[in-house]
PDB file of all heavy atoms in Angstrom:
ATOM      1  N   LYS A   1       0.746  -1.273   0.023  1.00 96.00           N
ATOM      2  CA  LYS A   1       0.050   0.060  -0.051  1.00 96.00           C
ATOM      3  C   LYS A   1       0.838   1.242   0.013  1.00 96.00           C
ATOM      4  O   LYS A   1       0.445   2.309  -0.536  1.00 96.00           O
ATOM      5  CB  LYS A   1      -0.849  -0.015   1.228  1.00 96.00           C
ATOM      6  CG  LYS A   1      -2.027  -1.054   1.152  1.00 96.00           C
ATOM      7  CD  LYS A   1      -2.929  -1.097   2.422  1.00 96.00           C
ATOM      8  CE  LYS A   1      -3.930  -2.170   2.371  1.00 96.00           C
ATOM      9  NZ  LYS A   1      -4.704  -2.233   3.620  1.00 96.00           N
ATOM     10  N   GLU A   2       2.051   1.156   0.599  1.00 95.00           N
ATOM     11  CA  GLU A   2       2.955   2.299   0.718  1.00 95.00           C
ATOM     12  C   GLU A   2       3.788   2.419  -0.560  1.00 95.00           C
ATOM     13  O   GLU A   2       4.523   3.424  -0.682  1.00 95.00           O
ATOM     14  CB  GLU A   2       3.784   2.300   1.917  1.00 95.00           C
ATOM     15  CG  GLU A   2       2.992   2.356   3.220  1.00 95.00           C
ATOM     16  CD  GLU A   2       3.912   2.246   4.408  1.00 95.00           C
ATOM     17  OE1 GLU A   2       5.102   1.953   4.321  1.00 95.00           O
ATOM     18  OE2 GLU A   2       3.419   2.442   5.585  1.00 95.00           O
ATOM     19  N   GLY A   3       3.654   1.457  -1.504  1.00 94.00           N
ATOM     20  CA  GLY A   3       4.365   1.569  -2.739  1.00 94.00           C
ATOM     21  C   GLY A   3       5.848   1.184  -2.687  1.00 94.00           C
ATOM     22  O   GLY A   3       6.665   1.646  -3.533  1.00 94.00           O
ATOM     23  N   VAL A   4       6.286   0.580  -1.584  1.00 94.00           N
ATOM     24  CA  VAL A   4       7.651   0.207  -1.442  1.00 94.00           C
ATOM     25  C   VAL A   4       8.118  -0.818  -2.467  1.00 94.00           C
ATOM     26  O   VAL A   4       7.354  -1.799  -2.623  1.00 94.00           O
ATOM     27  CB  VAL A   4       7.859  -0.328   0.067  1.00 94.00           C
ATOM     28  CG1 VAL A   4       9.369  -0.894   0.106  1.00 94.00           C
ATOM     29  CG2 VAL A   4       7.638   0.689   1.031  1.00 94.00           C
ATOM     30  N   ARG A   5       9.315  -0.600  -3.174  1.00 92.00           N
ATOM     31  CA  ARG A   5       9.731  -1.485  -4.215  1.00 92.00           C
ATOM     32  C   ARG A   5      11.017  -2.208  -3.939  1.00 92.00           C
ATOM     33  O   ARG A   5      11.397  -2.974  -4.745  1.00 92.00           O
ATOM     34  CB  ARG A   5       9.799  -0.610  -5.479  1.00 92.00           C
ATOM     35  CG  ARG A   5       8.531  -0.054  -5.953  1.00 92.00           C
ATOM     36  CD  ARG A   5       8.599   0.616  -7.322  1.00 92.00           C
ATOM     37  NE  ARG A   5       7.333   1.134  -7.815  1.00 92.00           N
ATOM     38  CZ  ARG A   5       6.424   0.354  -8.358  1.00 92.00           C
ATOM     39  NH1 ARG A   5       6.719  -0.915  -8.744  1.00 92.00           N
ATOM     40  NH2 ARG A   5       5.341   0.888  -8.834  1.00 92.00           N
ATOM     41  N   ASP A   6      11.618  -1.918  -2.797  1.00 93.00           N
ATOM     42  CA  ASP A   6      12.779  -2.623  -2.470  1.00 93.00           C
ATOM     43  C   ASP A   6      12.603  -4.108  -2.339  1.00 93.00           C
ATOM     44  O   ASP A   6      11.993  -4.560  -1.411  1.00 93.00           O
ATOM     45  CB  ASP A   6      13.408  -2.057  -1.151  1.00 93.00           C
ATOM     46  CG  ASP A   6      14.796  -2.565  -0.731  1.00 93.00           C
ATOM     47  OD1 ASP A   6      15.322  -3.608  -1.370  1.00 93.00           O
ATOM     48  OD2 ASP A   6      15.448  -1.897   0.082  1.00 93.00           O
ATOM     49  N   PRO A   7      13.166  -4.999  -3.242  1.00 94.00           N
ATOM     50  CA  PRO A   7      12.995  -6.449  -3.069  1.00 94.00           C
ATOM     51  C   PRO A   7      13.446  -7.083  -1.891  1.00 94.00           C
ATOM     52  O   PRO A   7      12.861  -8.125  -1.415  1.00 94.00           O
ATOM     53  CB  PRO A   7      13.762  -6.959  -4.390  1.00 94.00           C
ATOM     54  CG  PRO A   7      14.619  -5.889  -4.761  1.00 94.00           C
ATOM     55  CD  PRO A   7      14.083  -4.722  -4.294  1.00 94.00           C
ATOM     56  N   SER A   8      14.349  -6.486  -1.199  1.00 94.00           N
ATOM     57  CA  SER A   8      14.917  -7.110   0.039  1.00 94.00           C
ATOM     58  C   SER A   8      13.907  -7.076   1.250  1.00 94.00           C
ATOM     59  O   SER A   8      13.919  -8.008   2.011  1.00 94.00           O
ATOM     60  CB  SER A   8      16.212  -6.411   0.408  1.00 94.00           C
ATOM     61  OG  SER A   8      16.061  -5.146   0.794  1.00 94.00           O
ATOM     62  N   TRP A   9      13.126  -5.940   1.165  1.00 93.00           N
ATOM     63  CA  TRP A   9      12.051  -5.977   2.161  1.00 93.00           C
ATOM     64  C   TRP A   9      10.990  -7.039   2.049  1.00 93.00           C
ATOM     65  O   TRP A   9      10.491  -7.655   3.014  1.00 93.00           O
ATOM     66  CB  TRP A   9      11.358  -4.613   2.086  1.00 93.00           C
ATOM     67  CG  TRP A   9      12.106  -3.331   2.633  1.00 93.00           C
ATOM     68  CD1 TRP A   9      13.175  -2.813   2.100  1.00 93.00           C
ATOM     69  CD2 TRP A   9      11.964  -2.729   3.867  1.00 93.00           C
ATOM     70  NE1 TRP A   9      13.748  -1.813   2.782  1.00 93.00           N
ATOM     71  CE2 TRP A   9      12.945  -1.742   3.923  1.00 93.00           C
ATOM     72  CE3 TRP A   9      11.073  -2.811   4.905  1.00 93.00           C
ATOM     73  CZ2 TRP A   9      13.001  -0.861   5.068  1.00 93.00           C
ATOM     74  CZ3 TRP A   9      11.217  -1.991   6.026  1.00 93.00           C
ATOM     75  CH2 TRP A   9      12.223  -0.976   6.061  1.00 93.00           C
ATOM     76  N   TYR A  10      10.710  -7.239   0.780  1.00 97.00           N
ATOM     77  CA  TYR A  10       9.694  -8.340   0.465  1.00 97.00           C
ATOM     78  C   TYR A  10      10.265  -9.817   0.679  1.00 97.00           C
ATOM     79  O   TYR A  10       9.591 -10.671   1.103  1.00 97.00           O
ATOM     80  CB  TYR A  10       9.103  -8.168  -0.987  1.00 97.00           C
ATOM     81  CG  TYR A  10       8.326  -7.016  -1.137  1.00 97.00           C
ATOM     82  CD1 TYR A  10       8.851  -5.782  -1.852  1.00 97.00           C
ATOM     83  CD2 TYR A  10       6.887  -6.945  -0.824  1.00 97.00           C
ATOM     84  CE1 TYR A  10       7.995  -4.617  -1.863  1.00 97.00           C
ATOM     85  CE2 TYR A  10       6.194  -5.851  -1.033  1.00 97.00           C
ATOM     86  CZ  TYR A  10       6.698  -4.681  -1.541  1.00 97.00           C
ATOM     87  OH  TYR A  10       5.942  -3.559  -1.677  1.00 97.00           O
ATOM     88  N   ALA A  11      11.501  -9.961   0.325  1.00 97.00           N
ATOM     89  CA  ALA A  11      11.983 -11.303   0.368  1.00 97.00           C
ATOM     90  C   ALA A  11      12.015 -11.987   1.669  1.00 97.00           C
ATOM     91  O   ALA A  11      11.607 -13.128   1.798  1.00 97.00           O
ATOM     92  CB  ALA A  11      13.513 -11.322  -0.251  1.00 97.00           C
ATOM     93  N   ALA A  12      12.313 -11.138   2.708  1.00 96.00           N
ATOM     94  CA  ALA A  12      12.276 -11.675   4.051  1.00 96.00           C
ATOM     95  C   ALA A  12      10.883 -12.049   4.495  1.00 96.00           C
ATOM     96  O   ALA A  12      10.721 -13.193   5.058  1.00 96.00           O
ATOM     97  CB  ALA A  12      12.935 -10.783   5.063  1.00 96.00           C
ATOM     98  N   LEU A  13       9.983 -11.247   4.227  1.00 97.00           N
ATOM     99  CA  LEU A  13       8.604 -11.474   4.587  1.00 97.00           C
ATOM    100  C   LEU A  13       8.053 -12.655   3.780  1.00 97.00           C
ATOM    101  O   LEU A  13       7.367 -13.597   4.285  1.00 97.00           O
ATOM    102  CB  LEU A  13       7.723 -10.281   4.373  1.00 97.00           C
ATOM    103  CG  LEU A  13       7.938  -9.085   5.240  1.00 97.00           C
ATOM    104  CD1 LEU A  13       7.130  -7.920   4.715  1.00 97.00           C
ATOM    105  CD2 LEU A  13       7.430  -9.450   6.765  1.00 97.00           C
ATOM    106  N   GLU A  14       8.349 -12.680   2.485  1.00 97.00           N
ATOM    107  CA  GLU A  14       7.829 -13.834   1.686  1.00 97.00           C
ATOM    108  C   GLU A  14       8.482 -15.224   2.092  1.00 97.00           C
ATOM    109  O   GLU A  14       7.732 -16.244   1.960  1.00 97.00           O
ATOM    110  CB  GLU A  14       8.041 -13.438   0.215  1.00 97.00           C
ATOM    111  CG  GLU A  14       7.150 -12.357  -0.275  1.00 97.00           C
ATOM    112  CD  GLU A  14       7.674 -11.716  -1.589  1.00 97.00           C
ATOM    113  OE1 GLU A  14       8.769 -12.165  -2.166  1.00 97.00           O
ATOM    114  OE2 GLU A  14       6.937 -10.773  -2.082  1.00 97.00           O
ATOM    115  N   ALA A  15       9.593 -15.140   2.464  1.00 97.00           N
ATOM    116  CA  ALA A  15      10.166 -16.453   2.937  1.00 97.00           C
ATOM    117  C   ALA A  15       9.469 -16.926   4.150  1.00 97.00           C
ATOM    118  O   ALA A  15       9.100 -18.160   4.294  1.00 97.00           O
ATOM    119  CB  ALA A  15      11.609 -16.329   3.427  1.00 97.00           C
ATOM    120  N   ARG A  16       9.135 -16.039   5.121  1.00 97.00           N
ATOM    121  CA  ARG A  16       8.343 -16.386   6.333  1.00 97.00           C
ATOM    122  C   ARG A  16       6.895 -16.885   5.904  1.00 97.00           C
ATOM    123  O   ARG A  16       6.358 -17.839   6.535  1.00 97.00           O
ATOM    124  CB  ARG A  16       8.217 -15.252   7.300  1.00 97.00           C
ATOM    125  CG  ARG A  16       9.581 -15.106   8.135  1.00 97.00           C
ATOM    126  CD  ARG A  16       9.781 -13.780   8.764  1.00 97.00           C
ATOM    127  NE  ARG A  16       8.646 -13.206   9.229  1.00 97.00           N
ATOM    128  CZ  ARG A  16       8.512 -11.893   9.557  1.00 97.00           C
ATOM    129  NH1 ARG A  16       9.499 -11.008   9.298  1.00 97.00           N
ATOM    130  NH2 ARG A  16       7.416 -11.405  10.109  1.00 97.00           N
ATOM    131  N   MET A  17       6.321 -16.096   5.005  1.00 97.00           N
ATOM    132  CA  MET A  17       4.880 -16.497   4.639  1.00 97.00           C
ATOM    133  C   MET A  17       4.938 -17.871   3.894  1.00 97.00           C
ATOM    134  O   MET A  17       4.030 -18.641   4.160  1.00 97.00           O
ATOM    135  CB  MET A  17       4.410 -15.398   3.647  1.00 97.00           C
ATOM    136  CG  MET A  17       4.105 -14.037   4.288  1.00 97.00           C
ATOM    137  SD  MET A  17       3.783 -12.764   3.168  1.00 97.00           S
ATOM    138  CE  MET A  17       2.176 -13.269   2.482  1.00 97.00           C
ATOM    139  N   ALA A  18       5.895 -18.131   3.082  1.00 96.00           N
ATOM    140  CA  ALA A  18       5.936 -19.393   2.376  1.00 96.00           C
ATOM    141  C   ALA A  18       6.057 -20.550   3.247  1.00 96.00           C
ATOM    142  O   ALA A  18       5.469 -21.549   3.110  1.00 96.00           O
ATOM    143  CB  ALA A  18       7.116 -19.298   1.405  1.00 96.00           C
ATOM    144  N   GLU A  19       6.926 -20.474   4.292  1.00 97.00           N
ATOM    145  CA  GLU A  19       7.090 -21.503   5.314  1.00 97.00           C
ATOM    146  C   GLU A  19       5.777 -21.755   5.972  1.00 97.00           C
ATOM    147  O   GLU A  19       5.379 -22.937   6.104  1.00 97.00           O
ATOM    148  CB  GLU A  19       8.204 -21.156   6.297  1.00 97.00           C
ATOM    149  CG  GLU A  19       8.512 -22.252   7.239  1.00 97.00           C
ATOM    150  CD  GLU A  19       9.591 -21.835   8.231  1.00 97.00           C
ATOM    151  OE1 GLU A  19      10.210 -20.693   8.054  1.00 97.00           O
ATOM    152  OE2 GLU A  19       9.899 -22.677   9.204  1.00 97.00           O
ATOM    153  N   ALA A  20       5.209 -20.685   6.477  1.00 97.00           N
ATOM    154  CA  ALA A  20       3.874 -20.899   7.222  1.00 97.00           C
ATOM    155  C   ALA A  20       2.767 -21.288   6.327  1.00 97.00           C
ATOM    156  O   ALA A  20       1.911 -22.215   6.609  1.00 97.00           O
ATOM    157  CB  ALA A  20       3.438 -19.511   7.885  1.00 97.00           C
ATOM    158  N   GLY A  21       2.718 -20.741   5.143  1.00 96.00           N
ATOM    159  CA  GLY A  21       1.719 -21.146   4.118  1.00 96.00           C
ATOM    160  C   GLY A  21       1.792 -22.660   3.682  1.00 96.00           C
ATOM    161  O   GLY A  21       0.681 -23.163   3.505  1.00 96.00           O
ATOM    162  N   ALA A  22       2.958 -23.201   3.595  1.00 95.00           N
ATOM    163  CA  ALA A  22       3.184 -24.505   3.173  1.00 95.00           C
ATOM    164  C   ALA A  22       2.548 -25.347   4.299  1.00 95.00           C
ATOM    165  O   ALA A  22       2.018 -26.481   4.051  1.00 95.00           O
ATOM    166  CB  ALA A  22       4.529 -24.858   2.840  1.00 95.00           C
ATOM    167  N   VAL A  23       2.816 -25.022   5.574  1.00 96.00           N
ATOM    168  CA  VAL A  23       2.337 -25.797   6.792  1.00 96.00           C
ATOM    169  C   VAL A  23       0.768 -25.683   6.749  1.00 96.00           C
ATOM    170  O   VAL A  23       0.142 -26.766   7.018  1.00 96.00           O
ATOM    171  CB  VAL A  23       2.938 -25.247   7.987  1.00 96.00           C
ATOM    172  CG1 VAL A  23       2.257 -25.881   9.193  1.00 96.00           C
ATOM    173  CG2 VAL A  23       4.447 -25.525   8.081  1.00 96.00           C
ATOM    174  N   ILE A  24       0.280 -24.554   6.548  1.00 96.00           N
ATOM    175  CA  ILE A  24      -1.132 -24.398   6.460  1.00 96.00           C
ATOM    176  C   ILE A  24      -1.761 -25.276   5.496  1.00 96.00           C
ATOM    177  O   ILE A  24      -2.788 -26.027   5.779  1.00 96.00           O
ATOM    178  CB  ILE A  24      -1.465 -22.908   6.268  1.00 96.00           C
ATOM    179  CG1 ILE A  24      -1.165 -21.978   7.508  1.00 96.00           C
ATOM    180  CG2 ILE A  24      -3.084 -22.761   6.015  1.00 96.00           C
ATOM    181  CD1 ILE A  24      -1.316 -20.625   7.221  1.00 96.00           C
ATOM    182  N   ARG A  25      -1.293 -25.281   4.309  1.00 95.00           N
ATOM    183  CA  ARG A  25      -1.813 -26.096   3.199  1.00 95.00           C
ATOM    184  C   ARG A  25      -1.753 -27.543   3.567  1.00 95.00           C
ATOM    185  O   ARG A  25      -2.783 -28.267   3.327  1.00 95.00           O
ATOM    186  CB  ARG A  25      -1.037 -25.818   1.891  1.00 95.00           C
ATOM    187  CG  ARG A  25      -1.570 -26.517   0.728  1.00 95.00           C
ATOM    188  CD  ARG A  25      -0.721 -26.341  -0.533  1.00 95.00           C
ATOM    189  NE  ARG A  25      -1.410 -26.951  -1.689  1.00 95.00           N
ATOM    190  CZ  ARG A  25      -1.384 -28.246  -2.038  1.00 95.00           C
ATOM    191  NH1 ARG A  25      -0.726 -29.107  -1.297  1.00 95.00           N
ATOM    192  NH2 ARG A  25      -1.980 -28.682  -3.113  1.00 95.00           N
ATOM    193  N   ALA A  26      -0.564 -28.003   3.962  1.00 95.00           N
ATOM    194  CA  ALA A  26      -0.457 -29.492   4.391  1.00 95.00           C
ATOM    195  C   ALA A  26      -1.499 -29.811   5.513  1.00 95.00           C
ATOM    196  O   ALA A  26      -2.029 -30.871   5.344  1.00 95.00           O
ATOM    197  CB  ALA A  26       0.993 -29.731   4.804  1.00 95.00           C
ATOM    198  N   ASN A  27      -1.640 -28.999   6.511  1.00 96.00           N
ATOM    199  CA  ASN A  27      -2.433 -29.349   7.528  1.00 96.00           C
ATOM    200  C   ASN A  27      -3.959 -29.397   7.109  1.00 96.00           C
ATOM    201  O   ASN A  27      -4.757 -30.150   7.671  1.00 96.00           O
ATOM    202  CB  ASN A  27      -2.384 -28.297   8.695  1.00 96.00           C
ATOM    203  CG  ASN A  27      -1.049 -28.414   9.367  1.00 96.00           C
ATOM    204  OD1 ASN A  27      -0.375 -29.387   9.321  1.00 96.00           O
ATOM    205  ND2 ASN A  27      -0.655 -27.303  10.181  1.00 96.00           N
ATOM    206  N   ARG A  28      -4.281 -28.450   6.217  1.00 97.00           N
ATOM    207  CA  ARG A  28      -5.636 -28.468   5.751  1.00 97.00           C
ATOM    208  C   ARG A  28      -5.940 -29.715   4.934  1.00 97.00           C
ATOM    209  O   ARG A  28      -7.046 -30.412   5.053  1.00 97.00           O
ATOM    210  CB  ARG A  28      -5.933 -27.228   4.889  1.00 97.00           C
ATOM    211  CG  ARG A  28      -6.108 -25.933   5.608  1.00 97.00           C
ATOM    212  CD  ARG A  28      -6.173 -24.740   4.679  1.00 97.00           C
ATOM    213  NE  ARG A  28      -6.407 -23.465   5.416  1.00 97.00           N
ATOM    214  CZ  ARG A  28      -6.473 -22.261   4.761  1.00 97.00           C
ATOM    215  NH1 ARG A  28      -6.214 -22.216   3.425  1.00 97.00           N
ATOM    216  NH2 ARG A  28      -6.689 -21.168   5.424  1.00 97.00           N
ATOM    217  N   HIS A  29      -5.113 -30.157   4.106  1.00 96.00           N
ATOM    218  CA  HIS A  29      -5.159 -31.374   3.235  1.00 96.00           C
ATOM    219  C   HIS A  29      -5.325 -32.508   4.142  1.00 96.00           C
ATOM    220  O   HIS A  29      -6.110 -33.526   3.945  1.00 96.00           O
ATOM    221  CB  HIS A  29      -4.192 -31.454   2.219  1.00 96.00           C
ATOM    222  CG  HIS A  29      -4.512 -30.554   1.016  1.00 96.00           C
ATOM    223  ND1 HIS A  29      -5.297 -30.917  -0.048  1.00 96.00           N
ATOM    224  CD2 HIS A  29      -4.105 -29.274   0.716  1.00 96.00           C
ATOM    225  CE1 HIS A  29      -5.381 -29.924  -0.976  1.00 96.00           C
ATOM    226  NE2 HIS A  29      -4.682 -28.999  -0.453  1.00 96.00           N
ATOM    227  N   HIS A  30      -4.404 -32.509   5.155  1.00 96.00           N
ATOM    228  CA  HIS A  30      -4.484 -33.616   6.173  1.00 96.00           C
ATOM    229  C   HIS A  30      -5.777 -33.690   6.853  1.00 96.00           C
ATOM    230  O   HIS A  30      -6.396 -34.872   7.024  1.00 96.00           O
ATOM    231  CB  HIS A  30      -3.341 -33.485   7.200  1.00 96.00           C
ATOM    232  CG  HIS A  30      -3.321 -34.464   8.325  1.00 96.00           C
ATOM    233  ND1 HIS A  30      -2.988 -35.723   8.213  1.00 96.00           N
ATOM    234  CD2 HIS A  30      -3.682 -34.298   9.630  1.00 96.00           C
ATOM    235  CE1 HIS A  30      -3.032 -36.384   9.292  1.00 96.00           C
ATOM    236  NE2 HIS A  30      -3.554 -35.522  10.229  1.00 96.00           N
ATOM    237  N   ALA A  31      -6.311 -32.658   7.225  1.00 97.00           N
ATOM    238  CA  ALA A  31      -7.664 -32.548   7.958  1.00 97.00           C
ATOM    239  C   ALA A  31      -8.750 -33.150   7.040  1.00 97.00           C
ATOM    240  O   ALA A  31      -9.660 -33.947   7.454  1.00 97.00           O
ATOM    241  CB  ALA A  31      -7.916 -31.171   8.378  1.00 97.00           C
ATOM    242  N   VAL A  32      -8.805 -32.739   5.818  1.00 97.00           N
ATOM    243  CA  VAL A  32      -9.836 -33.229   4.895  1.00 97.00           C
ATOM    244  C   VAL A  32      -9.585 -34.726   4.724  1.00 97.00           C
ATOM    245  O   VAL A  32     -10.666 -35.418   4.695  1.00 97.00           O
ATOM    246  CB  VAL A  32      -9.633 -32.542   3.467  1.00 97.00           C
ATOM    247  CG1 VAL A  32     -10.536 -33.185   2.365  1.00 97.00           C
ATOM    248  CG2 VAL A  32     -10.079 -31.093   3.611  1.00 97.00           C
TER     249      VAL A  32
END
């Protein structure tokens, strides 16, 4: 929203999101 374009700021957050997101996906499929 603030229009920040520095890729290094995003990379660290996206790495954390990817790790958590993969766990969420696996847990959901396991539950089903």
Side-chain angles (χ1 to χ4, degrees):
K1 291 176 182 177
E2 293 176 356
V4 175
R5 296 185 177 275
D6 186 343
S8 62
W9 287 74
Y10 290 99
L13 289 171
E14 288 164 0
R16 284 157 42 197
M17 291 172 68
E19 182 179 356
V23 171
I24 292 170
R25 183 184 188 280
N27 290 344
R28 286 174 174 176
H29 281 274
H30 173 71
V32 167

